[in-house]
Amino acid sequence: MYPNIPPAAPSAGEPIRDRLARAAFELFTVQGYESTTIDDITTAAGVARRTFFRHFRSKEDVIFPDHDSVLDRVRWYLGASANTEPVFAVAEATRLIFESFMATPEQTLARYRLTREVAALRDREVASVARYERVLSDYLRSRLPNTSEAALAAHVAAASFVAAHNQVLREWLRSGGTQSPRPALEAALTTVADLTAPLIAQSRRQSSQNAV
Amino acid sequence: MYPNIPPAAPSAGEPIRDRLARAAFELFTVQGYESTTIDDITTAAGVARRTFFRHFRSKEDVIFPDHDSVLDRVRWYLGASANTEPVFAVAEATRLIFESFMATPEQTLARYRLTREVAALRDREVASVARYERVLSDYLRSRLPNTSEAALAAHVAAASFVAAHNQVLREWLRSGGTQSPRPALEAALTTVADLTAPLIAQSRRQSSQNAV
DNA sequence: TTGAGATCTGTCACTGAGTGCCATTAGGGT
DNA sequence: ACCCTAATGGCACTCAGTGACAGATCTCAA
């Protein structure tokens, strides 16, 4: 005799974490994010309510799976790029981020549809992006002299790369993920690299301290 | 006979909304954000719990007062700038945003101290900033041809101005608000304007459609 | 002064997210 | 069979946020 009747949904040897994520996505898209409770999700996945919070920190977390691991990979790459041209390294880091979204296109698309409608999820997405921007600007600052001009250049360059990334990703998402976005990404990265390279180079040269 | 005994704290004719905000700031800084409940705030302000949510949408909202009205002012200004040079208008809009923070310096400083320590508040701050960036890029897009190069230029320029704004504000906050940040802001705006003006100008010229 | 209408507040009950604690179960190795 | 560990179920609890209703306050008009 089993303590729980297994759920009707197909869920053979699928890990509980995946079952929860799949159930959550389905319910969110069908009946909306706010009107889906954790109880709905866990019931659909055939597990106890408490188990949900052992796999995801919050209800929002089930939508944003592995930003942390991507962040770690980006940090690791930049940590190993101490002798690379800074702007080149940041461009490559941006590619890493972009490819992490393209690794699971259908999930990225589903998340995009949700974030367009739910303000809380949009804000969460924005917060994740800000973390990437932070990693990029921290790296650039580490490669530049400790002046406020250099700090400004680092932040502007990081923000520009992230903006380019987002713009290409958004356009791909809006198109429904039809064509490959990589050529557009390369074009955007080239534009931003050409734009920011002089700014970074200039702030590297001057050891003359700060401003105003 | 009064239905409630007035609280010990001085709170004569002060509007309830201000009483709540003041009590919240004090409690947050003394005993931390998470360990302060709405009950703590309303008890300190001498009002009912329900009243808090009539003045603020959420617990976080009490920290971020009037972003909406600032957004409206920025939108209004940009709406009236249909004949201004786009980059100049965005620079002026950035000044508007910056001055809205400088209008209440001590509150801006207190909020900064809180956002440094509480992740939820930091994310909220980031979301607010993203809304400003959105307004700027929407304006730029409205002033540019409908090509993907122009969209990219608009987003990169908007992100650059916002990054410059944030960098100057952060440096002023870190310094404890000692000197006037306006010269640094002007220098940063000049840098970013010089950087993005060619990008915007180029995307205005070409009516040749899109890329890739 | 009085009364009608609108606005604000107090009170209560409720939903739902998230946490702490403990018992139970499953699996793995000895 | 026996431990040991990790994962799950179940329960109780705190707290944010909302809905509904009653009471209080204010304004304006007659």
Side-chain angles (χ1 to χ4, degrees), chain A residues 10 14 25 37 50 57 67 91 94 101 106 111 121 134 155 165 198:
Chain A
E14 196 179 6
F25 261 102
T37 68
R50 191 64 176 89
R57 276 193 293 263
H67 274 310
T94 306
F101 284 97
E106 60 295 321
R111 181 171 40 215
L121 296 179
R134 177 94 201 275
H155 279 101
H165 167 281

Side-chain angles (χ1 to χ4, degrees), chain A residues 48 50-51 54:
Chain A
R50 191 64 176 89
T51 302
R54 291 207 179 89

